[in-house]
Amino acid sequence: FSELHRLALHHPHYWTLKNERQLAATYTSPPITLKKAVKKILRWSNDFKIKNAGTLHGIGGWYSFFTNEQEFLSTRPPNELSKELWQNFIFPLAEPLQVQPGDSLHFTLNMHREMINAAPIWVWETSLNQKSIFRQSSFEGMPISQPLL
C-alpha cells in the first residue's frame, strides 16, 4: 500500500466540509481575476489560531465565483449544490496533528500552473507553533509514466 499511500497524501481531495467540524476560523483569500494575466505561480498563505481542540487531518476550502463583484456560485458550507459537480476540497496532512485552543497553524499553498498530466502542481506547507511540520506536493503523488520522464 505504500505507493497508494504516497499518492493519497500528496494530492488534493474533494470532500464535503461541515462548519461544526472546523478547528479554526475561516480565511478568505484574495481573488484571482481571470480577466487579467494570471501568474505562473499563485500563492496563498495564512496564520490560523486554533479555537477547538481536535485532530487536524488537512486544510479544507471552497470556491466562490464572482462576476462584477457579485457572488453567483459558491461551494461554501453548507453546500447545497450537486455533490457530483461541486465539492469542497481538502489538502491532506502527511500525518494527523493534535491541536489545542491557542495553537498557531501556518499554512502556505502554491499552485504552479505548469501542467503535468493535465493538472497543475500544488505545493502546501504546514507549520504548527512556528515549527515546520510538513511540505507536500501533488508532484510527489503523480503516477508518471516512463515516457514522461
Side-chain angles (χ1 to χ4, degrees):
F1 292 103
S2 64
E3 289 305 308
L4 292 177
H5 187 252
R6 180 179 61 85
L7 293 175
L9 288 179
H10 295 285
H11 196 277
H13 300 279
Y14 291 102
W15 200 267
T16 299
L17 299 175
K18 297 179 180 172
N19 285 329
E20 64 271 11
R21 299 192 66 194
Q22 291 181 341
L23 299 176
T26 59
Y27 161 70
T28 301
S29 70
I32 300 170
T33 304
L34 298 177
K35 288 195 262 181
K36 299 178 185 173
V38 179
K39 299 176 190 174
K40 286 196 181 267
I41 299 175
L42 300 173
R43 178 182 170 93
W44 300 270
S45 187
N46 193 57
D47 290 303
F48 295 93
K49 194 57 91 174
I50 301 298
K51 63 180 182 178
N52 298 315
T55 304
L56 181 66
H57 294 274
I59 305 294
W62 56 83
Y63 304 99
S64 293
F65 298 91
F66 295 80
T67 184
N68 298 326
E69 299 183 23
Q70 182 75 23
E71 184 178 273
F72 67 91
L73 185 125
S74 180
T75 63
R76 180 185 304 107
N79 178 9
E80 302 298 328
L81 301 171
S82 167
K83 301 293 187 254
E84 289 80 33
L85 295 174
W86 301 101
Q87 288 270 344
N88 307 124
F89 56 86
I90 186 168
F91 288 89
L93 300 182
E95 296 174 17
L97 289 177
Q98 296 300 316
V99 295
Q100 300 298 321
D103 282 351
S104 178
L105 180 83
H106 183 79
F107 185 74
T108 300
L109 177 65
N110 296 296
M111 184 184 88
H112 300 257
R113 293 182 52 238
E114 300 292 330
M115 299 292 210
I116 296 181
N117 290 348
I121 301 295
W122 296 95
V123 177
W124 59 103
E125 300 175 52
T126 310
S127 60
L128 183 63
N129 298 324
Q130 300 180 343
K131 180 182 175 196
S132 180
I133 304 290
F134 305 116
R135 184 177 192 284
Q136 294 165 259
S137 170
S138 61
F139 183 76
E140 294 177 52
M142 287 186 173
I144 298 176
S145 63
Q146 190 64 32
L148 284 175
L149 297 175

